[in-house]
Amino acid sequence: MFSIIPLFLGTSNRTMRFSLLILFSFATLYLTGQSKQYDKLSIQELLDSAERRHEVSDYTMVNELLKKVRSRLDSNSEPRTLYYYHKLLGSNLFEMRNIPGAQKEFHAALKISEKLNDSLNIALVNSELANTLTLQGAYRDALSYYEKALLYFPEKDSQYTNTLMNMSLTYKGLNQYDKALSVLFKGQPYYEGIGDYRSLGTLENNIGEIYRDNIKDLDQANVHYRKAIVANKKANSERGLAQNYHNLANMFLELEKTDSALHYAKLSMRIKEKMGDEGGMASANYILADVYFQQGNHSQAISNFKKSLSLSKKYGLMEGVYYNNIRLGEIYRQQGSLSQGESYLLEAKQIAEGSEDLQIIGESYRLLFQFYKDQGDFENALTYNEKLRIINDSLSELRATQNLDELRTQYESELAKSENQVLREKDKAQNAHIANQKKLIYLAVASIVALLLLAIWLINMLRQRNRALISEQEGKTELEVQHQKLKASELQLQKTTELQNKILSVLGHDLRNPLNNISTLLGTVSDSQLDQDDFTQILGYLKKETDVSQIILQEILAWARLQMDEDGKMLETVKADELLSDIIDIHNHSAREKQIGINIKGAEVEFCADKNQMRSVFSNLLFNAIKYSRKGGQICVDIEEADQQVIFKIIDNGKGINPDVLDNLNKRHRVISEKGTSGERGTGIGLRIVNDFVEAHGGTLQFKNNEDAGATVTVIIPLHQKGSNQTLQLQNQ
């Protein structure tokens, strides 16, 4: 009813203002009538009505009804009535994202159910408490409560399946994505079989989130989000739809389709506003801010991020507090407000360190490292760089030991069962033996106590002796640490200066000539009276020089990022034939202009590499092959697999390579680019980029002239990169 009120605000039309007054009057009378009607109901009838309103997501009315229940409760109220009141209030606060309030009510309900020895309700409340802990990021504590709940539920029961589905979110938080997907897919046939579309919608949404946020398969994520929308519409679940639209907005934001992202973000917010879900508005404001930021509307983005941060703090949503601080810190840093940016990033770091999530701790350290590095504060930058290295090592060890931990847990459980059986069988014999050994035990205990006292005295003596040595050593160690920090800062500054000079040198050398040519051609156009043919020809020259400048700039930037080692290699599984087919499509126009045919031969090979760097390598090499091929020539790309390596050979029948140039190429000396067979100009940086990217992958690059005509360039890349995680390559509101 009240959703139409904003349409009348600010109008000067008296009729519309009068209509608004009437609308408020009717609304007041309606609610007053409803309130009086509920006053006649008993406590149990009020609880039943509140539960029905909760099922249709009318959380505001649920609060009103529960206030009436609370006013009638006293010390003589039935324990079971008190249980249902606390549990229903906790569920309502949970749905409105008031997590601390929900936890308080669930704990009260748990105490009552334990006194009643009601196993079903004990299980239900344990499951609800686990859900609140999952939202707060306390995943290991959440698993403990889920496991307690599963002890009371029968298998293949709806409550048992629901608990497993919620556990999937906890596995997701612990980065155990295979386990999360496994339990989710088990629940699909069960919910479809009983027609529980609300639960099915939640399940499909969670599958989509794992594919989008963790596995990065946006096509699969979209499929499951759409299935979730269908299920939630059948169940008339407004909360489920709001969540689906929110996640679709996230997906389109990752695809840089900001108009679609904005559409779904606003749909989600409208539903949450209608429901009165103030806690849920934290995530709605966050995704809206993200969209506005990507559209370049930074003032609106800051406003929505601050609203989201305020609501996240109010309702104890620590994940929301963390990410809003991160985004605000980044925006203020980009705007040059360094003190504001630093304060938000430091607050995010404190939240991250208080959680169990190593990934967000590492992310906060990485952002602070980059922040201090950009400001030239190398001491703080080195501190967070070292912390980041420790976190990354811990993550690697965690992934390596997860399977081992599971096997060890299973083994210890089986071993304990066997040991208990043996102990039970020997119990009678041991009781008789213990009676005979008591005197020996007392004597042994007395001896142990005496030895302990002697050991304590000796330890105290050693401590007093070592304190002075330790104090002296600590002083020396601190001086050495400060010295090493200073040396590291000086080395970092030197490397940064050298890299800056190197990049400026490359820019000055390679961009000067094409820009001078463009300037000269523009001067010709402005100073001369040209006919149409001359004008068209000059435009062609301008486009050619501009294209060359663009290629130069793109390749220099790619090479500079590698030199700075800011991002490292983004490893994934690359299909060699598909990669080369894509690159050939890009250069087809140039090849057709010279009537050059390009063929790919060889096996279908998959190898581990940074796809963008490999694209740059083969794009440069194919560009050179076309450049130095004669009209009507042929280029052949061979792909082979041998000795755990993939071997690429790009063979042309063009004019070949000058022997002096060939020698310089194979010795990795700088080579001045020569013109192509049709006068094409090179960038002068392409082969250097090719060499650096190939070496970054542990590969080799070879050049040779063919016996008959043309040249052959051979690129050899290992199938597997050292330290790569193949499992993840074949594969967080």
Side-chain angles (χ1 to χ4, degrees):
M1 179 183 294
F2 295 100
S3 62
I4 64 172
I5 290 176
L7 297 177
F8 297 106
L9 296 181
T11 180
S12 59
N13 188 301
R14 292 184 178 180
T15 303
M16 295 181 74
R17 291 173 182 267
F18 182 69
S19 299
L20 177 61
L21 180 60
I22 293 174
L23 179 62
F24 271 116
S25 300
F26 276 116
T28 303
L29 290 172
Y30 173 78
L31 290 177
T32 303
Q34 288 287 90
S35 179
K36 290 181 179 179
Q37 176 186 351
Y38 285 123
D39 285 340
K40 301 175 184 178
L41 300 179
S42 66
I43 290 179
Q44 188 58 50
E45 288 172 334
L46 284 170
L47 287 171
D48 292 340
S49 297
E51 187 168 5
R52 287 193 296 271
R53 301 310 301 171
H54 182 76
E55 289 175 355
V56 297
S57 303
D58 189 355
Y59 305 121
T60 303
M61 182 56 73
V62 174
N63 276 338
E64 294 298 320
L65 291 169
L66 292 178
K67 285 180 183 178
K68 294 182 182 296
V69 172
R70 180 60 187 159
S71 67
R72 300 189 195 180
L73 293 174
D74 55 33
S75 58
N76 297 321
S77 297
E78 288 290 330
R80 196 166 295 277
T81 300
L82 291 171
Y83 164 80
Y84 283 115
Y85 165 77
H86 288 296
K87 182 180 180 300
L88 185 54
L89 179 56
S91 298
N92 204 54
L93 291 171
F94 176 83
E95 293 295 338
M96 298 180 74
R97 293 300 185 267
N98 184 347
I99 305 304
Q103 287 177 334
K104 177 183 176 182
E105 299 303 324
F106 287 141
H107 278 296
L110 181 59
K111 288 182 180 179
I112 297 170
S113 63
E114 288 174 341
K115 288 181 180 179
L116 293 171
N117 199 24
D118 187 337
S119 60
L120 177 60
N121 287 325
I122 290 173
L124 289 172
V125 178
N126 271 296
S127 180
E128 296 281 13
L129 279 168
N131 293 339
T132 64
L133 290 166
T134 296
L135 284 186
Q136 288 182 319
Y139 300 118
R140 299 194 183 281
D141 291 338
L143 278 179
S144 175
Y145 279 98
Y146 281 133
E147 288 166 356
K148 290 177 184 177
L150 290 175
L151 293 174
Y152 295 94
F153 291 135
E155 290 190 17
K156 296 185 179 179
D157 175 78
S158 61
Q159 297 294 349
Y160 186 91
T161 307
N162 290 344
T163 302
L164 284 178
M165 297 306 100
N166 291 335
M167 285 180 74
S168 70
L169 296 177
T170 308
Y171 286 131
K172 177 178 181 290
L174 291 170
N175 304 321
Q176 299 177 14
Y177 309 128
D178 290 340
K179 283 188 176 181
L181 286 175
S182 175
V183 296
L184 287 171
F185 284 123
K186 286 180 182 177
Q188 280 179 324
Y190 177 82
Y191 290 132
E192 289 173 350
I194 65 173
D196 185 354
Y197 293 108
R198 182 187 293 268
S199 297
L200 183 62
T202 301
L203 180 146
E204 293 289 353
N205 175 78
N206 291 348
I207 293 175
E209 271 297 86
I210 293 174
Y211 276 117
R212 179 191 67 82
D213 196 37
N214 306 109
I215 302 177
K216 306 301 182 186
D217 187 343
L218 298 186
D219 290 336
Q220 280 296 318
N222 189 34
V223 168
H224 289 284
Y225 288 150
R226 302 297 178 180
K227 288 182 179 179
I229 290 172
V230 172
N232 282 317
K233 285 183 177 179
K234 287 183 179 179
N236 195 26
S237 173
E238 290 186 326
R239 174 165 293 282
L241 284 172
Q243 195 61 55
N244 299 151
Y245 293 144
H246 178 99
N247 294 340
L248 279 170
N250 266 326
M251 185 189 75
F252 283 114
L253 197 60
E254 291 179 17
L255 292 169
E256 298 184 353
K257 297 181 179 179
T258 55
D259 290 339
S260 296
L262 186 62
H263 169 73
Y264 284 107
K266 288 183 176 179
L267 278 179
S268 177
M269 178 169 278
R270 282 200 292 269
I271 293 174
K272 290 178 180 179
E273 287 175 337
K274 178 183 174 183
M275 291 163 52
D277 184 2
E278 189 177 8
M281 291 294 289
S283 60
N285 274 287
Y286 182 89
I287 188 64
L288 265 180
D290 230 353
V291 176
Y292 286 129
F293 177 76
Q294 196 166 114
Q295 289 182 336
N297 189 347
H298 289 184
S299 60
Q300 188 62 52
I302 289 174
S303 174
N304 285 98
F305 277 133
K306 287 184 176 179
K307 289 179 183 177
S308 178
L309 177 60
S310 175
L311 290 168
S312 297
K313 287 182 176 179
K314 180 178 179 181
Y315 292 106
L317 303 174
M318 291 300 101
E319 188 175 6
V321 175
Y322 169 79
Y323 282 110
N324 279 293
N325 274 299
I326 287 292
R327 299 309 302 278
L328 285 166
E330 285 293 287
I331 292 177
Y332 281 118
R333 181 185 66 81
Q334 291 180 19
Q335 292 182 342
S337 302
L338 301 181
S339 60
Q340 287 180 289
E342 183 182 25
S343 65
Y344 281 113
L345 290 175
L346 289 173
E347 185 174 351
K349 179 195 69 106
Q350 291 178 346
I351 298 298
E353 289 176 339
S355 73
E356 296 181 14
D357 194 329
L358 293 177
Q359 286 190 329
I360 68 169
I361 294 173
E363 181 184 33
S364 67
Y365 289 162
R366 181 183 63 78
L367 290 171
L368 281 166
F369 160 72
Q370 192 63 50
F371 177 88
Y372 289 121
K373 176 186 172 185
D374 291 344
Q375 309 315 313
D377 186 350
F378 294 111
E379 182 174 357
N380 275 323
L382 286 170
T383 298
Y384 284 105
N385 189 42
E386 178 62 19
K387 290 184 176 182
L388 178 60
R389 184 189 64 78
I390 294 171
I391 289 294
N392 288 335
D393 290 344
S394 299
L395 281 170
S396 298
E397 292 174 2
L398 177 63
R399 295 188 189 104
T401 57
Q402 279 177 349
N403 292 334
L404 182 61
D405 288 342
E406 292 175 1
L407 291 173
R408 184 168 59 245
T409 300
Q410 182 179 356
Y411 168 76
E412 290 173 352
S413 176
E414 295 297 329
L415 183 61
K417 290 179 182 178
S418 300
E419 289 175 348
N420 288 336
Q421 182 66 26
V422 173
L423 288 172
R424 282 193 296 269
E425 293 176 355
K426 293 183 177 180
D427 188 51
K428 292 181 180 180
Q430 285 179 341
N431 287 336
H433 183 69
I434 289 171
N436 296 326
Q437 295 295 323
K438 282 185 178 179
K439 291 182 180 180
L440 292 175
I441 292 173
Y442 292 145
L443 180 61
V445 168
S447 300
I448 292 171
V449 170
L451 289 172
L452 286 174
L453 291 174
L454 179 60
I456 291 171
W457 179 78
L458 290 172
I459 290 170
N460 286 333
M461 293 293 293
L462 289 172
R463 283 179 177 172
Q464 291 176 4
R465 180 181 177 184
N466 290 333
R467 278 172 187 163
L469 293 174
I470 292 171
S471 178
E472 180 182 354
Q473 185 62 35
E474 286 178 349
K476 291 181 179 179
T477 303
E478 181 63 26
L479 288 173
E480 179 64 24
V481 169
Q482 295 299 325
H483 178 66
Q484 292 300 326
K485 285 184 178 180
L486 181 60
K487 288 178 64 178
S489 297
E490 291 175 351
L491 180 61
Q492 180 66 30
L493 181 60
Q494 180 181 353
K495 288 182 178 179
T496 302
T497 303
E498 289 175 355
L499 179 57
Q500 173 182 307
N501 293 337
K502 195 173 182 181
I503 294 172
L504 289 174
S505 174
V506 172
L507 284 169
H509 180 276
D510 291 304
L511 283 178
R512 183 184 297 114
N513 287 337
L515 290 177
N516 285 340
N517 292 339
I518 291 172
S519 176
T520 301
L521 289 170
L522 288 173
T524 302
V525 172
S526 61
D527 295 339
S528 305
Q529 297 295 327
L530 304 174
D531 58 27
Q532 184 62 36
D533 290 340
D534 291 339
F535 185 73
T536 301
Q537 186 177 11
I538 288 177
L539 281 181
Y541 289 145
L542 277 172
K543 184 179 185 309
K544 184 175 180 180
E545 293 296 336
T546 303
D547 290 343
V548 170
S549 300
Q550 186 177 12
I551 292 170
I552 291 171
L553 185 57
Q554 289 173 348
E555 293 177 342
I556 289 173
L557 291 175
W559 173 76
R561 285 195 296 271
L562 179 65
Q563 299 299 309
M564 295 174 71
D565 194 24
E566 287 184 343
D567 298 321
K569 301 192 297 296
M570 301 297 292
L571 298 178
E572 59 183 297
T573 298
V574 179
K575 293 183 178 181
D577 54 341
E578 291 182 3
L579 173 69
L580 289 168
S581 294
D582 291 343
I583 294 169
I584 288 172
D585 287 342
I586 294 171
H587 292 282
N588 258 339
H589 178 73
S590 299
R592 283 197 301 268
E593 284 186 345
K594 296 180 73 173
Q595 299 174 6
I596 294 171
I598 305 175
N599 298 310
I600 299 177
K601 296 194 305 183
E604 295 181 357
V605 181
E606 292 184 353
F607 64 105
C608 178
D610 184 306
K611 192 170 185 177
N612 287 330
Q613 291 185 10
M614 288 296 100
R615 192 188 302 277
S616 181
V617 167
F618 293 110
S619 182
N620 271 288
L621 294 178
L622 189 59
F623 173 81
N624 282 343
I626 295 171
K627 173 181 172 183
Y628 296 117
S629 291
R630 295 184 177 87
K631 235 178 181 183
Q634 287 291 325
I635 297 173
C636 180
V637 183
D638 282 351
I639 308 170
E640 300 177 16
E641 179 182 347
D643 299 328
Q644 293 298 306
Q645 295 176 322
V646 57
I647 302 169
F648 301 88
K649 292 184 179 179
I650 301 175
I651 307 164
D652 66 71
N653 57 2
K655 68 179 187 177
I657 307 173
N658 183 290
D660 293 335
V661 173
L662 183 63
D663 185 58
N664 286 338
L665 285 172
N666 287 317
K667 289 181 179 178
R668 303 297 182 263
H669 292 168
R670 177 170 173 79
V671 177
I672 304 301
S673 177
E674 297 180 338
K675 289 186 177 181
T677 56
S678 295
E680 302 100 319
R681 299 187 51 201
T683 65
I685 189 64
L687 288 176
R688 187 186 306 181
I689 291 172
V690 169
N691 181 64
D692 287 351
F693 283 165
V694 170
E695 286 186 351
H697 285 75
T700 57
L701 181 66
Q702 301 168 1
F703 299 86
K704 73 171 186 176
N705 283 321
N706 301 330
E707 291 183 2
D708 48 357
T712 298
V713 183
T714 302
V715 180
I716 303 175
I717 302 293
L719 286 177
H720 307 289
Q721 293 295 305
K722 185 177 180 181
S724 66
N725 188 327
Q726 292 292 317
T727 301
L728 291 180
Q729 289 162 13
L730 295 175
Q731 318 241 346
N732 110 291
Q733 105 174 262

